[in-house]
Amino acid sequence: MTGNFIDTFRTHFKTGHRNLKSNYSIISTDFGEVRVFDTKQNKPVIISVPDGPNVIEHHENLILKLSKDYRVVCFEFGGLGKSYPNSKYDYSFNKSSQLIINVMDILKIERATFCFSCSNGFYAIKTAELFPERVEHLFLSQTPSITAMVNWTDENIPSILRYPVIGQIVNSFSEKKLTKIWYKYALPKETDNSEYIQKAISSINNGGCFCLSSLVQGLEKESMSKLNVLEVPATIIWGKKDYTHRKTDNKSILEHLPNCEIIEFENCGHFPELEDTSRYVGLIKNKLN
C-alpha cells in the first residue's frame, strides 16, 4: 500500500510556484512539475540538489561560488519545495534516477557532476550505476550505506511517518514543526539556524512542500537493494558535528562506492556544502580540474 496519492492530491492545489524569479523555471517531467534554477552558461555542468527541508534558496551562495567555473543546475526533487510529484513518482531509486535523466534531457545536458546529499545520494549512485556515461563525478554529503541509512531512519524519523496514508496525513499538518526540529539536531549547537529555518518555512508558506513521509516510505522499500559503482569517480564529504549521524559509520558508503574518497569536515553538521561552502567548492575544483 502507498500513501503517495495524499501528496499528489494536496500539492495539486498549490500555486506558489507561479511567481518565479530570474533563472528559475518550472519544467514538466514524467514524474511531475520540477522547479529548477539554471545559470545557463556554456561551461561544464554541476547538478546540485537540496536535501529537504532545504530548498534552492538555501543553495544560493553555493550556486554563486560554483557558477564562476561551472554551469550550475539546482533542482528540487518531487515532494520538496515547489516541485510537485504526480502519481508516477514513488521515491524509489529507479524512478528518481529516471527523473534525474529526464531533467538532464529536457535541459539538454549530456554529462554532469552530481552534488547530492543524504538520501538523495542514493539516487545519484543509482543514476551513475545505470547511466555512467552521463555522470562525470559524484560528490556526496552525509550519504552512508543503505543499511546504515535504515538504522539512521529508525533513530531519527517519527515512527508514525512510516505508515502509508496516516504518515502522509500527519506530515501534511506538521511540515513546519518537522522542519524546525530537523535543523535543531542537524546543525552544530553553536550554529545559528534561524536563516535555515526562515528559508524553509518561507517556502512552505508560499506553496512549497516537504513530503518527508513519502520519502521515508520510498526508501524503506529499497532497504534490500544493491548499489555498486566502479566506473564513476566519487568523493564523500562528511560533517563530523551532525548529531543525527553521530552513530553512523561514514565508511559504510564503500559498500556501494568501493573507490570513494572520504573527506571529513570537522566543524560541519549535516550540510557541509552549505556550512563551509568555500572549502567545499575548492575541493570540487581541485578534483575536477
Side-chain angles (χ1 to χ4, degrees):
M1 183 179 183
T2 177
N4 294 356
F5 71 91
I6 300 291
D7 295 332
T8 303
F9 175 78
R10 69 187 184 91
T11 57
H12 177 74
F13 298 97
K14 291 180 178 289
T15 58
H17 69 285
R18 291 176 180 169
N19 297 319
L20 295 171
K21 297 177 288 186
S22 177
N23 290 100
Y24 283 81
S25 63
I26 299 293
I27 61 176
S28 295
T29 74
D30 295 339
F31 304 101
E33 293 185 332
V34 171
R35 189 171 76 130
V36 179
F37 183 99
D38 185 358
T39 60
K40 299 180 181 180
Q41 307 120 300
N42 184 23
K43 298 177 181 179
V45 181
I46 286 181
I47 298 178
S48 178
V49 177
D51 174 32
N54 289 343
V55 291
I56 294 174
E57 281 76 9
H58 288 90
H59 281 233
E60 288 176 345
N61 186 42
L62 175 63
I63 293 169
L64 178 64
K65 291 182 182 297
L66 284 172
S67 65
K68 296 176 182 178
D69 299 282
Y70 307 98
R71 173 187 174 186
V72 184
V73 173
C74 186
F75 74 90
E76 295 160 346
F77 265 105
L80 174 65
K82 297 170 186 175
S83 289
Y84 306 147
N86 62 25
S87 59
K88 296 180 183 178
Y89 188 58
D90 61 4
Y91 300 84
S92 67
F93 292 171
N94 279 319
K95 292 291 178 64
S96 298
S97 175
Q98 291 173 39
L99 173 57
I100 293 169
I101 295 299
N102 201 183
V103 170
M104 292 177 70
D105 288 344
I106 291 170
L107 298 179
K108 296 180 170 55
I109 298 169
E110 289 297 321
R111 188 174 173 88
T113 291
F114 290 178
C115 295
F116 287 37
S117 61
C118 198
S119 58
N120 291 333
F122 298 124
Y123 302 153
I125 296 171
K126 188 63 178 181
T127 306
E129 182 181 72
L130 295 176
F131 307 96
E133 73 282 359
R134 306 295 296 271
V135 185
E136 182 72 27
H137 197 117
L138 293 174
F139 284 96
L140 309 180
S141 303
Q142 309 306 98
T143 303
S145 69
I146 295 172
T147 300
M149 183 60 82
V150 170
N151 294 334
W152 180 91
T153 300
D154 291 340
E155 289 277 344
N156 294 279
I157 301 299
S159 59
I160 195 169
L161 295 182
R162 299 160 75 173
Y163 291 94
V165 181
I166 296 174
Q168 277 81 5
I169 293 173
V170 171
N171 191 156
S172 69
F173 289 106
S174 58
E175 286 176 311
K176 295 179 185 179
K177 181 178 180 180
L178 290 168
T179 293
K180 292 176 181 178
I181 292 172
W182 172 241
Y183 288 120
K184 177 180 178 181
Y185 292 104
L187 291 163
K189 291 182 179 180
E190 62 271 19
T191 298
D192 180 2
N193 62 22
S194 59
E195 186 174 354
Y196 286 89
I197 293 174
Q198 185 274 323
K199 289 180 178 179
I201 298 299
S202 176
S203 172
I204 294 171
N205 285 339
N206 289 283
C209 56
F210 179 34
C211 301
L212 178 61
S213 181
S214 292
L215 171 62
V216 169
Q217 292 170 28
L219 290 173
E220 283 192 332
K221 292 178 181 178
E222 298 282 9
S223 61
M224 302 305 292
S225 296
K226 303 295 182 184
L227 292 175
N228 187 264
V229 173
L230 295 173
E231 297 180 52
V232 179
T235 305
I236 183 165
I237 296 89
W238 195 268
K240 292 285 286 180
K241 287 190 174 182
D242 179 357
Y243 182 79
T244 72
H245 275 298
R246 64 196 181 282
K247 298 180 181 179
T248 304
D249 178 9
N250 59 22
K251 294 182 177 61
S252 63
I253 190 63
L254 298 175
E255 177 183 334
H256 310 307
L257 300 170
N259 300 322
C260 180
E261 181 181 4
I262 301 169
I263 299 175
E264 296 179 345
F265 280 25
E266 293 290 340
N267 297 315
C268 291
H270 197 79
F271 317 113
E273 70 277 16
L274 306 182
E275 298 170 64
D276 194 348
T277 303
S278 294
R279 182 182 176 191
Y280 181 83
V281 170
L283 178 63
I284 289 176
K285 291 172 65 175
N286 182 60
K287 294 290 182 182
L288 296 182
N289 293 340

